[in-house]
Amino acid sequence: MVQQPQSKPLELVVADPSTGASCSIPVPNGVSKTQGMHASFVVLPTSESARDTLTVLDNRTNKVYTIPITDGTVKATDFRQVQDTTGEGLRLFDAGFVNTAVARSRITEIDGAKGILRYRGYPIEQLSEKSTFLEVAYLLIYGELPSKNQFDDFEYEVMHHTYVHVKLAELEQSFQYDAHPMGMFIATMAAASTFDPSGNPALAGSDIYTKDKKLRNKQIFRILGKVTTIAAMAYRHRIGRPANPPQQGLSYTENFLYMMDHLSEPGFRPHPVLARALDVLFILHADHELNCSTAAMRHIGSSLVDPYSAVAGAAAALYGPLHGGANEAVVRMLESIGTVDKIPAFIESVKRREKKLMGFGHRIYTSYDPRATIIRKLAYDVFEVVGTEPLIEVAQALEQVALTDEYFTSRKLYPNVDFYSGLIYKAMGFPLDYFPVLFAIPRVAGWLAHWSEAMDEPNAKIWRPRQIYCGEARRDYVPIEHRDETDVRLTEMTKTASSTRRRISSWEGKKPGKL
Ligand code: CMC
């Protein structure tokens, strides 16, 4: 039986989907004369008020459901009313969140087709030209550009929370000399939570961050302040130099470069062009709505854990080569290509799907990433003071080939933020494996903005997606002596010669030679 949409039309509009032709059939008492008909038909709402709805016809049951459309989206929970055999209602499947909105946010707007990026309404082009990273961090977190006094207070608080506990510094010292700095960064950030019991919801109360805005702000100052110190300490440890304590009287980015580079020179100041270039790069990387790491931040934060732990988790998501690790991967790719004449062979290998063109493609942008445009220009400012990075020639030639090749154009693959940023970092002398850290520092501002916004959400729920269970049905436990032997062995992994030597040795209860 056909049910009426909530708009209660007094007539049923029957449309032929193949021609678009339609006609009206009167529906006395909500019962259609088409009852029992086997033809396809579409129910269209006839009243204006019902236009912002989706009419869903379940072909399994011939039931019709009306789902409201708000802000261009339908609520997944509205589909629960579509009954199915499980009794739980219909679920939406979206592996990878390709077309699923998971939060209402007022922070960052992206128009991927037009290549537009705005923080709190301000175009990224204006912010990168006129603002500073710390001001942008304020804007992202608190929603407005700060007044002079507001900015002075914010800068004071952030810059006076740059010191870290001496035990945290010792923790960084304890890493292996060649530890990846991103691993050090993640671990140290997670460890920072242990120095702050009053900010630990397990000890101080599960609702401290949803209720206490002052505590929330304090954590924001602390994390923004300490993130550059933790990052600089990781760098200094790698190169075998003692950590520099933070300095007052320098900008956020200058202080970061100071902590990385100062030896014993009195009145040391980083070069202003490099400090500004890094500041602009920090602005460009500060937020990008619900990317993988920011979604991770919101996901982890939804459990109401402390923000240090959530930042550590978000940083782990950023570490991956498909996300923040891409800038490092771009330079390794350009180095492996080496010279312009090798580009055609490389492109062919990408088209054969043997390789990826790192720094190209984006889930949201189907046009040029506006950040890549700004960074490409910025690269030349940096080259002017430190010398040209020769791989820029390979990068530009590669971009030209890709932008005119059907494989990339048909898939709308354009350079993203990572395509040129790695070259600037390389020209500035940062080690390759430090690039993701340079991405993580400014992204902390975006993570905190999203975390704080989520803490203000009155109807927030813990994030808990559903699955489609595809595993075995119920089965009974079989004792090990009754199980079939199989060829599948977990020991069939790559072994080093030294591990083989050890494995074939003998000890009590084990004969020699068995791997
Ligand atoms: N090189 C070659 N082919 C690509 C690339 C690429 N960089 N990116 C996408 N494709 C192809 C992909 O193979 C697929 O082709 P087909 O439809 O024939 O199977 C099609 O384009 C769609 O790609 P997708 O993987 O379904 O797209 P996605 O939205 O899941 O992935 C992405 C987005 C950024 C992970 C992906 O484009 C990629 O791996 N790019 C390279 C890594 C990179 O530069 N990451 C940085 C992203 S921007 C900064 C950040 O978020 O951290």
Side-chain angles (χ1 to χ4, degrees), residues 335-367:
E335 281 175 346
S336 76
I337 297 171
T339 48
V340 172
D341 58 307
K342 305 269 171 42
I343 289 174
F346 174 78
I347 291 283
E348 286 313 309
S349 67
V350 172
K351 285 155 67 169
R352 285 196 303 273
R353 293 168 190 273
E354 292 162 12
K355 290 183 180 150
K356 255 194 175 173
L357 175 47
M358 300 309 283
F360 257 67
H362 201 277
R363 175 66 62 80
I364 308 293
Y365 291 118
T366 49
S367 66

PDB file of all heavy atoms in Angstrom, residues 335-367:
ATOM      1  N   GLU A 335      63.080  13.779  -5.846  1.00  0.00           N
ATOM      2  CA  GLU A 335      64.483  13.335  -5.816  1.00  0.00           C
ATOM      3  C   GLU A 335      64.658  12.067  -6.645  1.00  0.00           C
ATOM      4  O   GLU A 335      65.644  11.906  -7.361  1.00  0.00           O
ATOM      5  CB  GLU A 335      64.928  13.080  -4.373  1.00  0.00           C
ATOM      6  CG  GLU A 335      65.258  14.379  -3.648  1.00  0.00           C
ATOM      7  CD  GLU A 335      65.593  14.172  -2.168  1.00  0.00           C
ATOM      8  OE1 GLU A 335      65.330  13.083  -1.628  1.00  0.00           O
ATOM      9  OE2 GLU A 335      66.099  15.119  -1.557  1.00  0.00           O
ATOM     10  N   SER A 336      63.662  11.178  -6.561  1.00  0.00           N
ATOM     11  CA  SER A 336      63.800   9.917  -7.309  1.00  0.00           C
ATOM     12  C   SER A 336      63.649  10.169  -8.815  1.00  0.00           C
ATOM     13  O   SER A 336      64.257   9.471  -9.620  1.00  0.00           O
ATOM     14  CB  SER A 336      62.788   8.883  -6.811  1.00  0.00           C
ATOM     15  OG  SER A 336      61.518   9.193  -7.321  1.00  0.00           O
ATOM     16  N   ILE A 337      62.863  11.150  -9.198  1.00  0.00           N
ATOM     17  CA  ILE A 337      62.751  11.481 -10.633  1.00  0.00           C
ATOM     18  C   ILE A 337      64.070  12.130 -11.081  1.00  0.00           C
ATOM     19  O   ILE A 337      64.620  11.793 -12.130  1.00  0.00           O
ATOM     20  CB  ILE A 337      61.555  12.429 -10.900  1.00  0.00           C
ATOM     21  CG1 ILE A 337      60.239  11.742 -10.528  1.00  0.00           C
ATOM     22  CG2 ILE A 337      61.524  12.880 -12.360  1.00  0.00           C
ATOM     23  CD1 ILE A 337      59.030  12.651 -10.551  1.00  0.00           C
ATOM     24  N   GLY A 338      64.542  13.063 -10.281  1.00  0.00           N
ATOM     25  CA  GLY A 338      65.884  13.636 -10.491  1.00  0.00           C
ATOM     26  C   GLY A 338      65.966  14.726 -11.529  1.00  0.00           C
ATOM     27  O   GLY A 338      66.302  15.864 -11.211  1.00  0.00           O
ATOM     28  N   THR A 339      65.639  14.415 -12.793  1.00  0.00           N
ATOM     29  CA  THR A 339      65.785  15.408 -13.861  1.00  0.00           C
ATOM     30  C   THR A 339      64.525  15.422 -14.734  1.00  0.00           C
ATOM     31  O   THR A 339      63.768  14.442 -14.774  1.00  0.00           O
ATOM     32  CB  THR A 339      66.993  15.073 -14.758  1.00  0.00           C
ATOM     33  OG1 THR A 339      66.925  13.680 -15.107  1.00  0.00           O
ATOM     34  CG2 THR A 339      68.315  15.352 -14.060  1.00  0.00           C
ATOM     35  N   VAL A 340      64.349  16.546 -15.432  1.00  0.00           N
ATOM     36  CA  VAL A 340      63.134  16.762 -16.219  1.00  0.00           C
ATOM     37  C   VAL A 340      62.930  15.661 -17.268  1.00  0.00           C
ATOM     38  O   VAL A 340      61.797  15.233 -17.522  1.00  0.00           O
ATOM     39  CB  VAL A 340      63.196  18.167 -16.879  1.00  0.00           C
ATOM     40  CG1 VAL A 340      62.057  18.369 -17.866  1.00  0.00           C
ATOM     41  CG2 VAL A 340      63.154  19.254 -15.797  1.00  0.00           C
ATOM     42  N   ASP A 341      64.018  15.170 -17.859  1.00  0.00           N
ATOM     43  CA  ASP A 341      63.863  14.165 -18.926  1.00  0.00           C
ATOM     44  C   ASP A 341      63.291  12.831 -18.417  1.00  0.00           C
ATOM     45  O   ASP A 341      62.819  12.014 -19.195  1.00  0.00           O
ATOM     46  CB  ASP A 341      65.218  13.913 -19.624  1.00  0.00           C
ATOM     47  CG  ASP A 341      66.272  13.447 -18.625  1.00  0.00           C
ATOM     48  OD1 ASP A 341      66.464  14.142 -17.614  1.00  0.00           O
ATOM     49  OD2 ASP A 341      66.870  12.379 -18.841  1.00  0.00           O
ATOM     50  N   LYS A 342      63.297  12.635 -17.089  1.00  0.00           N
ATOM     51  CA  LYS A 342      62.760  11.369 -16.543  1.00  0.00           C
ATOM     52  C   LYS A 342      61.247  11.472 -16.259  1.00  0.00           C
ATOM     53  O   LYS A 342      60.622  10.480 -15.852  1.00  0.00           O
ATOM     54  CB  LYS A 342      63.475  11.019 -15.228  1.00  0.00           C
ATOM     55  CG  LYS A 342      64.982  10.940 -15.328  1.00  0.00           C
ATOM     56  CD  LYS A 342      65.406   9.524 -15.654  1.00  0.00           C
ATOM     57  CE  LYS A 342      66.871   9.369 -15.976  1.00  0.00           C
ATOM     58  NZ  LYS A 342      67.817  10.079 -15.160  1.00  0.00           N
ATOM     59  N   ILE A 343      60.684  12.669 -16.469  1.00  0.00           N
ATOM     60  CA  ILE A 343      59.276  12.865 -16.096  1.00  0.00           C
ATOM     61  C   ILE A 343      58.320  11.970 -16.908  1.00  0.00           C
ATOM     62  O   ILE A 343      57.441  11.324 -16.329  1.00  0.00           O
ATOM     63  CB  ILE A 343      58.887  14.365 -16.198  1.00  0.00           C
ATOM     64  CG1 ILE A 343      59.574  15.112 -15.059  1.00  0.00           C
ATOM     65  CG2 ILE A 343      57.376  14.560 -16.141  1.00  0.00           C
ATOM     66  CD1 ILE A 343      59.418  16.618 -15.103  1.00  0.00           C
ATOM     67  N   PRO A 344      58.477  11.902 -18.254  1.00  0.00           N
ATOM     68  CA  PRO A 344      57.515  11.072 -19.003  1.00  0.00           C
ATOM     69  C   PRO A 344      57.455   9.635 -18.490  1.00  0.00           C
ATOM     70  O   PRO A 344      56.370   9.071 -18.324  1.00  0.00           O
ATOM     71  CB  PRO A 344      58.044  11.131 -20.448  1.00  0.00           C
ATOM     72  CG  PRO A 344      58.831  12.405 -20.506  1.00  0.00           C
ATOM     73  CD  PRO A 344      59.411  12.609 -19.153  1.00  0.00           C
ATOM     74  N   ALA A 345      58.607   9.040 -18.192  1.00  0.00           N
ATOM     75  CA  ALA A 345      58.621   7.645 -17.708  1.00  0.00           C
ATOM     76  C   ALA A 345      57.907   7.567 -16.358  1.00  0.00           C
ATOM     77  O   ALA A 345      57.151   6.619 -16.093  1.00  0.00           O
ATOM     78  CB  ALA A 345      60.058   7.163 -17.580  1.00  0.00           C
ATOM     79  N   PHE A 346      58.126   8.593 -15.512  1.00  0.00           N
ATOM     80  CA  PHE A 346      57.470   8.589 -14.201  1.00  0.00           C
ATOM     81  C   PHE A 346      55.949   8.673 -14.371  1.00  0.00           C
ATOM     82  O   PHE A 346      55.188   7.937 -13.736  1.00  0.00           O
ATOM     83  CB  PHE A 346      57.982   9.754 -13.341  1.00  0.00           C
ATOM     84  CG  PHE A 346      57.239   9.878 -12.043  1.00  0.00           C
ATOM     85  CD1 PHE A 346      57.521   9.021 -10.985  1.00  0.00           C
ATOM     86  CD2 PHE A 346      56.221  10.814 -11.892  1.00  0.00           C
ATOM     87  CE1 PHE A 346      56.806   9.102  -9.795  1.00  0.00           C
ATOM     88  CE2 PHE A 346      55.511  10.900 -10.713  1.00  0.00           C
ATOM     89  CZ  PHE A 346      55.804  10.047  -9.657  1.00  0.00           C
ATOM     90  N   ILE A 347      55.514   9.581 -15.239  1.00  0.00           N
ATOM     91  CA  ILE A 347      54.069   9.759 -15.463  1.00  0.00           C
ATOM     92  C   ILE A 347      53.446   8.447 -15.961  1.00  0.00           C
ATOM     93  O   ILE A 347      52.350   8.060 -15.535  1.00  0.00           O
ATOM     94  CB  ILE A 347      53.812  10.913 -16.476  1.00  0.00           C
ATOM     95  CG1 ILE A 347      54.177  12.262 -15.841  1.00  0.00           C
ATOM     96  CG2 ILE A 347      52.377  10.917 -16.991  1.00  0.00           C
ATOM     97  CD1 ILE A 347      53.169  12.808 -14.846  1.00  0.00           C
ATOM     98  N   GLU A 348      54.149   7.784 -16.858  1.00  0.00           N
ATOM     99  CA  GLU A 348      53.627   6.501 -17.360  1.00  0.00           C
ATOM    100  C   GLU A 348      53.476   5.500 -16.219  1.00  0.00           C
ATOM    101  O   GLU A 348      52.499   4.765 -16.157  1.00  0.00           O
ATOM    102  CB  GLU A 348      54.542   5.926 -18.459  1.00  0.00           C
ATOM    103  CG  GLU A 348      54.432   6.662 -19.803  1.00  0.00           C
ATOM    104  CD  GLU A 348      52.980   6.904 -20.233  1.00  0.00           C
ATOM    105  OE1 GLU A 348      52.188   5.948 -20.239  1.00  0.00           O
ATOM    106  OE2 GLU A 348      52.632   8.070 -20.528  1.00  0.00           O
ATOM    107  N   SER A 349      54.439   5.487 -15.290  1.00  0.00           N
ATOM    108  CA  SER A 349      54.347   4.529 -14.185  1.00  0.00           C
ATOM    109  C   SER A 349      53.172   4.882 -13.259  1.00  0.00           C
ATOM    110  O   SER A 349      52.548   3.999 -12.683  1.00  0.00           O
ATOM    111  CB  SER A 349      55.659   4.457 -13.401  1.00  0.00           C
ATOM    112  OG  SER A 349      55.882   5.668 -12.726  1.00  0.00           O
ATOM    113  N   VAL A 350      52.852   6.187 -13.155  1.00  0.00           N
ATOM    114  CA  VAL A 350      51.677   6.585 -12.368  1.00  0.00           C
ATOM    115  C   VAL A 350      50.419   6.074 -13.064  1.00  0.00           C
ATOM    116  O   VAL A 350      49.518   5.511 -12.431  1.00  0.00           O
ATOM    117  CB  VAL A 350      51.617   8.125 -12.199  1.00  0.00           C
ATOM    118  CG1 VAL A 350      50.301   8.550 -11.544  1.00  0.00           C
ATOM    119  CG2 VAL A 350      52.790   8.626 -11.355  1.00  0.00           C
ATOM    120  N   LYS A 351      50.384   6.231 -14.389  1.00  0.00           N
ATOM    121  CA  LYS A 351      49.190   5.819 -15.126  1.00  0.00           C
ATOM    122  C   LYS A 351      49.017   4.292 -15.118  1.00  0.00           C
ATOM    123  O   LYS A 351      47.902   3.803 -15.206  1.00  0.00           O
ATOM    124  CB  LYS A 351      49.245   6.361 -16.557  1.00  0.00           C
ATOM    125  CG  LYS A 351      48.943   7.866 -16.548  1.00  0.00           C
ATOM    126  CD  LYS A 351      49.490   8.646 -17.674  1.00  0.00           C
ATOM    127  CE  LYS A 351      48.947   8.374 -19.008  1.00  0.00           C
ATOM    128  NZ  LYS A 351      49.383   9.385 -19.994  1.00  0.00           N
ATOM    129  N   ARG A 352      50.143   3.590 -14.974  1.00  0.00           N
ATOM    130  CA  ARG A 352      50.048   2.125 -14.848  1.00  0.00           C
ATOM    131  C   ARG A 352      49.726   1.745 -13.394  1.00  0.00           C
ATOM    132  O   ARG A 352      49.681   0.565 -13.051  1.00  0.00           O
ATOM    133  CB  ARG A 352      51.377   1.475 -15.254  1.00  0.00           C
ATOM    134  CG  ARG A 352      51.637   1.456 -16.756  1.00  0.00           C
ATOM    135  CD  ARG A 352      52.751   0.463 -17.098  1.00  0.00           C
ATOM    136  NE  ARG A 352      53.991   0.752 -16.392  1.00  0.00           N
ATOM    137  CZ  ARG A 352      54.955   1.595 -16.825  1.00  0.00           C
ATOM    138  NH1 ARG A 352      54.813   2.231 -17.981  1.00  0.00           N
ATOM    139  NH2 ARG A 352      56.036   1.805 -16.110  1.00  0.00           N
ATOM    140  N   ARG A 353      49.531   2.751 -12.560  1.00  0.00           N
ATOM    141  CA  ARG A 353      49.195   2.581 -11.130  1.00  0.00           C
ATOM    142  C   ARG A 353      50.307   1.913 -10.330  1.00  0.00           C
ATOM    143  O   ARG A 353      50.063   1.305  -9.297  1.00  0.00           O
ATOM    144  CB  ARG A 353      47.888   1.798 -10.953  1.00  0.00           C
ATOM    145  CG  ARG A 353      46.697   2.562 -11.462  1.00  0.00           C
ATOM    146  CD  ARG A 353      45.490   1.659 -11.532  1.00  0.00           C
ATOM    147  NE  ARG A 353      44.414   2.337 -12.244  1.00  0.00           N
ATOM    148  CZ  ARG A 353      43.528   3.141 -11.686  1.00  0.00           C
ATOM    149  NH1 ARG A 353      43.573   3.346 -10.406  1.00  0.00           N
ATOM    150  NH2 ARG A 353      42.590   3.731 -12.401  1.00  0.00           N
ATOM    151  N   GLU A 354      51.518   2.059 -10.809  1.00  0.00           N
ATOM    152  CA  GLU A 354      52.640   1.533 -10.030  1.00  0.00           C
ATOM    153  C   GLU A 354      53.058   2.560  -8.983  1.00  0.00           C
ATOM    154  O   GLU A 354      53.630   2.226  -7.952  1.00  0.00           O
ATOM    155  CB  GLU A 354      53.834   1.244 -10.948  1.00  0.00           C
ATOM    156  CG  GLU A 354      53.585   0.080 -11.901  1.00  0.00           C
ATOM    157  CD  GLU A 354      54.549   0.064 -13.076  1.00  0.00           C
ATOM    158  OE1 GLU A 354      55.563   0.808 -13.069  1.00  0.00           O
ATOM    159  OE2 GLU A 354      54.263  -0.679 -14.017  1.00  0.00           O
ATOM    160  N   LYS A 355      52.812   3.840  -9.287  1.00  0.00           N
ATOM    161  CA  LYS A 355      53.200   4.913  -8.352  1.00  0.00           C
ATOM    162  C   LYS A 355      52.060   5.912  -8.244  1.00  0.00           C
ATOM    163  O   LYS A 355      51.141   5.900  -9.059  1.00  0.00           O
ATOM    164  CB  LYS A 355      54.439   5.626  -8.893  1.00  0.00           C
ATOM    165  CG  LYS A 355      55.662   4.760  -8.810  1.00  0.00           C
ATOM    166  CD  LYS A 355      56.891   5.472  -9.262  1.00  0.00           C
ATOM    167  CE  LYS A 355      58.061   4.520  -9.147  1.00  0.00           C
ATOM    168  NZ  LYS A 355      59.087   4.793 -10.135  1.00  0.00           N
ATOM    169  N   LYS A 356      52.193   6.799  -7.253  1.00  0.00           N
ATOM    170  CA  LYS A 356      51.240   7.899  -7.118  1.00  0.00           C
ATOM    171  C   LYS A 356      51.970   9.190  -7.371  1.00  0.00           C
ATOM    172  O   LYS A 356      53.156   9.301  -7.014  1.00  0.00           O
ATOM    173  CB  LYS A 356      50.679   7.920  -5.700  1.00  0.00           C
ATOM    174  CG  LYS A 356      49.288   7.405  -5.641  1.00  0.00           C
ATOM    175  CD  LYS A 356      48.589   7.709  -4.368  1.00  0.00           C
ATOM    176  CE  LYS A 356      47.144   7.221  -4.518  1.00  0.00           C
ATOM    177  NZ  LYS A 356      46.407   7.309  -3.306  1.00  0.00           N
ATOM    178  N   LEU A 357      51.307  10.150  -7.957  1.00  0.00           N
ATOM    179  CA  LEU A 357      51.909  11.473  -8.086  1.00  0.00           C
ATOM    180  C   LEU A 357      51.621  12.193  -6.773  1.00  0.00           C
ATOM    181  O   LEU A 357      50.530  12.737  -6.562  1.00  0.00           O
ATOM    182  CB  LEU A 357      51.301  12.211  -9.290  1.00  0.00           C
ATOM    183  CG  LEU A 357      51.738  13.659  -9.512  1.00  0.00           C
ATOM    184  CD1 LEU A 357      53.246  13.828  -9.416  1.00  0.00           C
ATOM    185  CD2 LEU A 357      51.242  14.163 -10.853  1.00  0.00           C
ATOM    186  N   MET A 358      52.575  12.149  -5.861  1.00  0.00           N
ATOM    187  CA  MET A 358      52.352  12.715  -4.532  1.00  0.00           C
ATOM    188  C   MET A 358      52.220  14.241  -4.638  1.00  0.00           C
ATOM    189  O   MET A 358      52.871  14.867  -5.477  1.00  0.00           O
ATOM    190  CB  MET A 358      53.493  12.344  -3.581  1.00  0.00           C
ATOM    191  CG  MET A 358      53.657  10.851  -3.387  1.00  0.00           C
ATOM    192  SD  MET A 358      52.115  10.021  -2.936  1.00  0.00           S
ATOM    193  CE  MET A 358      51.967  10.453  -1.220  1.00  0.00           C
ATOM    194  N   GLY A 359      51.377  14.812  -3.782  1.00  0.00           N
ATOM    195  CA  GLY A 359      51.146  16.258  -3.847  1.00  0.00           C
ATOM    196  C   GLY A 359      50.093  16.631  -4.878  1.00  0.00           C
ATOM    197  O   GLY A 359      49.844  17.801  -5.122  1.00  0.00           O
ATOM    198  N   PHE A 360      49.472  15.621  -5.474  1.00  0.00           N
ATOM    199  CA  PHE A 360      48.379  15.858  -6.422  1.00  0.00           C
ATOM    200  C   PHE A 360      47.117  15.177  -5.908  1.00  0.00           C
ATOM    201  O   PHE A 360      47.179  14.115  -5.294  1.00  0.00           O
ATOM    202  CB  PHE A 360      48.730  15.272  -7.800  1.00  0.00           C
ATOM    203  CG  PHE A 360      49.150  16.309  -8.798  1.00  0.00           C
ATOM    204  CD1 PHE A 360      50.335  17.007  -8.622  1.00  0.00           C
ATOM    205  CD2 PHE A 360      48.370  16.579  -9.914  1.00  0.00           C
ATOM    206  CE1 PHE A 360      50.737  17.964  -9.534  1.00  0.00           C
ATOM    207  CE2 PHE A 360      48.768  17.537 -10.845  1.00  0.00           C
ATOM    208  CZ  PHE A 360      49.941  18.229 -10.660  1.00  0.00           C
ATOM    209  N   GLY A 361      45.982  15.792  -6.206  1.00  0.00           N
ATOM    210  CA  GLY A 361      44.702  15.184  -5.862  1.00  0.00           C
ATOM    211  C   GLY A 361      44.246  15.606  -4.482  1.00  0.00           C
ATOM    212  O   GLY A 361      45.046  15.951  -3.608  1.00  0.00           O
ATOM    213  N   HIS A 362      42.940  15.624  -4.313  1.00  0.00           N
ATOM    214  CA  HIS A 362      42.362  16.019  -3.028  1.00  0.00           C
ATOM    215  C   HIS A 362      40.920  15.556  -2.980  1.00  0.00           C
ATOM    216  O   HIS A 362      40.231  15.578  -4.000  1.00  0.00           O
ATOM    217  CB  HIS A 362      42.416  17.549  -2.866  1.00  0.00           C
ATOM    218  CG  HIS A 362      42.322  17.977  -1.448  1.00  0.00           C
ATOM    219  ND1 HIS A 362      41.121  18.102  -0.801  1.00  0.00           N
ATOM    220  CD2 HIS A 362      43.286  18.281  -0.553  1.00  0.00           C
ATOM    221  CE1 HIS A 362      41.348  18.479   0.446  1.00  0.00           C
ATOM    222  NE2 HIS A 362      42.645  18.579   0.631  1.00  0.00           N
ATOM    223  N   ARG A 363      40.513  15.103  -1.816  1.00  0.00           N
ATOM    224  CA  ARG A 363      39.126  14.652  -1.680  1.00  0.00           C
ATOM    225  C   ARG A 363      38.132  15.783  -1.960  1.00  0.00           C
ATOM    226  O   ARG A 363      37.054  15.560  -2.506  1.00  0.00           O
ATOM    227  CB  ARG A 363      38.928  14.078  -0.265  1.00  0.00           C
ATOM    228  CG  ARG A 363      37.539  13.660   0.118  1.00  0.00           C
ATOM    229  CD  ARG A 363      37.023  12.484  -0.676  1.00  0.00           C
ATOM    230  NE  ARG A 363      37.777  11.266  -0.534  1.00  0.00           N
ATOM    231  CZ  ARG A 363      37.683  10.402   0.487  1.00  0.00           C
ATOM    232  NH1 ARG A 363      36.845  10.641   1.465  1.00  0.00           N
ATOM    233  NH2 ARG A 363      38.397   9.304   0.515  1.00  0.00           N
ATOM    234  N   ILE A 364      38.468  17.002  -1.576  1.00  0.00           N
ATOM    235  CA  ILE A 364      37.512  18.107  -1.701  1.00  0.00           C
ATOM    236  C   ILE A 364      37.792  18.979  -2.929  1.00  0.00           C
ATOM    237  O   ILE A 364      36.870  19.401  -3.624  1.00  0.00           O
ATOM    238  CB  ILE A 364      37.532  19.000  -0.436  1.00  0.00           C
ATOM    239  CG1 ILE A 364      37.347  18.150   0.835  1.00  0.00           C
ATOM    240  CG2 ILE A 364      36.469  20.096  -0.501  1.00  0.00           C
ATOM    241  CD1 ILE A 364      36.006  17.493   1.010  1.00  0.00           C
ATOM    242  N   TYR A 365      39.061  19.298  -3.180  1.00  0.00           N
ATOM    243  CA  TYR A 365      39.353  20.186  -4.314  1.00  0.00           C
ATOM    244  C   TYR A 365      39.282  19.424  -5.628  1.00  0.00           C
ATOM    245  O   TYR A 365      39.997  18.440  -5.828  1.00  0.00           O
ATOM    246  CB  TYR A 365      40.754  20.798  -4.200  1.00  0.00           C
ATOM    247  CG  TYR A 365      40.882  21.784  -3.074  1.00  0.00           C
ATOM    248  CD1 TYR A 365      41.766  21.565  -2.042  1.00  0.00           C
ATOM    249  CD2 TYR A 365      40.108  22.946  -3.049  1.00  0.00           C
ATOM    250  CE1 TYR A 365      41.883  22.454  -0.996  1.00  0.00           C
ATOM    251  CE2 TYR A 365      40.214  23.840  -2.008  1.00  0.00           C
ATOM    252  CZ  TYR A 365      41.104  23.586  -0.980  1.00  0.00           C
ATOM    253  OH  TYR A 365      41.201  24.473   0.048  1.00  0.00           O
ATOM    254  N   THR A 366      38.442  19.931  -6.525  1.00  0.00           N
ATOM    255  CA  THR A 366      38.449  19.401  -7.890  1.00  0.00           C
ATOM    256  C   THR A 366      39.019  20.471  -8.813  1.00  0.00           C
ATOM    257  O   THR A 366      38.804  20.460 -10.019  1.00  0.00           O
ATOM    258  CB  THR A 366      37.023  19.010  -8.326  1.00  0.00           C
ATOM    259  OG1 THR A 366      36.152  20.111  -8.016  1.00  0.00           O
ATOM    260  CG2 THR A 366      36.560  17.766  -7.592  1.00  0.00           C
ATOM    261  N   SER A 367      39.694  21.436  -8.211  1.00  0.00           N
ATOM    262  CA  SER A 367      40.424  22.453  -8.970  1.00  0.00           C
ATOM    263  C   SER A 367      41.710  22.731  -8.180  1.00  0.00           C
ATOM    264  O   SER A 367      41.979  22.083  -7.178  1.00  0.00           O
ATOM    265  CB  SER A 367      39.587  23.721  -9.123  1.00  0.00           C
ATOM    266  OG  SER A 367      39.403  24.308  -7.862  1.00  0.00           O
TER     267      SER A 367
END
